[in-house]
Amino acid sequence: MDSSRIKGFTADPLPTGMDLGQMAELNQAGERMSAEHFPKEIFAEYPDKKEKKQADLVLAAGAVVVSAACADVLRQFDLGHSSLYPIRLFQHDRKTPVEGEYFCLNIGERKDTFLREHSQRVLEYGIGGFRMRPSLQDDDVAVSPISLERPDLWVSPPLKRIFFLSDRLTQALRAAKMSRVFGFRACRIVEAE
């Protein structure tokens, strides 16, 4: 998720008692979570900014939020334990809806596919984590052949703030004209030595 996808929304406390940061961390780690772990409504943070219809993929109030059109494409593929939960977006007044229909995306799948030793542009991030540079290019990330197996959407800890899509799902999102918001980058498949 590049920083241009982060939008200024906030939410009331979650029924689980978890804060938005904890929810975001678990989602980035590929934890399966129920709808109670995600906000049902989020609100624009700034009173002087009217929020327009959101892009097909944004990060809002710590949640990965996708449009109904994006959710329709995702549902056609093997998401494994990943889920889509309805969410309503409102202006700062908490009454006026933001145009569009949206879903929180719980990325509930992990695959041990990321190959650190073959990914030279990786940066250490926190304790035991890694992230990619903002100028990520095709083939900067190396993955194992397990990436070719289902499901079609997953994360690969300890790599942070990045998720993976199969080629078949990527091609469907491209056909739906969603390439720009996803910022796709091709990965290199590296066979075991």
Side-chain angles (χ1 to χ4, degrees):
M1 295 287 293
D2 76 47
S3 59
S4 69
R5 299 283 119 221
I6 300 171
K7 302 301 173 183
F9 284 86
T10 189
D12 290 332
L14 299 169
T16 58
M18 184 184 302
D19 68 36
L20 296 174
Q22 291 168 312
M23 175 264 305
E25 279 184 38
L26 289 174
N27 204 29
Q28 284 183 30
E31 291 290 329
R32 291 182 238 174
M33 295 187 285
S34 63
E36 296 78 45
H37 291 92
F38 292 89
K40 293 188 181 359
E41 298 178 340
I42 58 176
F43 313 99
E45 261 188 291
Y46 307 107
D48 56 342
K49 183 175 187 232
K50 182 177 182 338
E51 292 292 342
K52 296 182 168 121
K53 182 177 181 177
Q54 298 297 300
D56 292 305
L57 171 73
V58 296
L59 189 63
V64 177
V65 177
V66 298
S67 68
C70 183
D72 288 345
V73 174
L74 293 172
R75 285 187 188 107
Q76 296 172 42
F77 290 85
D78 180 355
L79 300 181
H81 293 102
S82 295
S83 302
L84 292 157
Y85 301 118
I87 186 170
R88 296 178 63 203
L89 280 61
F90 290 93
Q91 301 295 340
H92 183 76
D93 66 9
R94 295 178 166 247
K95 295 177 193 157
T96 309
V98 171
E99 180 187 350
E101 183 183 358
Y102 304 95
F103 296 85
C104 287
L105 173 60
N106 169 221
I107 304 170
E109 286 290 340
R110 277 185 274 226
K111 285 198 245 181
D112 188 18
T113 60
F114 172 62
L115 299 174
R116 165 67 178 105
E117 64 278 12
H118 296 284
S119 303
Q120 301 308 313
R121 296 183 46 89
V122 75
L123 300 170
E124 289 194 34
Y125 184 75
I127 300 170
F130 300 97
R131 67 179 175 85
M132 299 311 297
R133 297 177 188 276
S135 58
L136 182 66
Q137 300 297 315
D138 285 346
D139 298 328
D140 281 350
V141 176
V143 293
S144 72
I146 297 167
S147 299
L148 301 172
E149 299 171 9
R150 295 181 189 266
D152 293 302
L153 170 71
W154 71 95
V155 295
S156 189
L159 192 58
K160 306 255 186 196
R161 302 190 77 190
I162 193 169
F163 58 88
F164 294 87
L165 304 165
S166 68
D167 185 58
R168 54 192 162 264
L169 176 51
T170 300
Q171 296 310 322
L173 290 165
R174 278 193 170 119
K177 309 275 190 259
M178 296 182 193
S179 294
R180 189 178 62 77
V181 297
F182 273 86
F184 299 125
R185 297 292 183 267
C187 296
R188 275 182 302 122
I189 306 286
V190 177
E191 297 289 339
E193 296 174 355

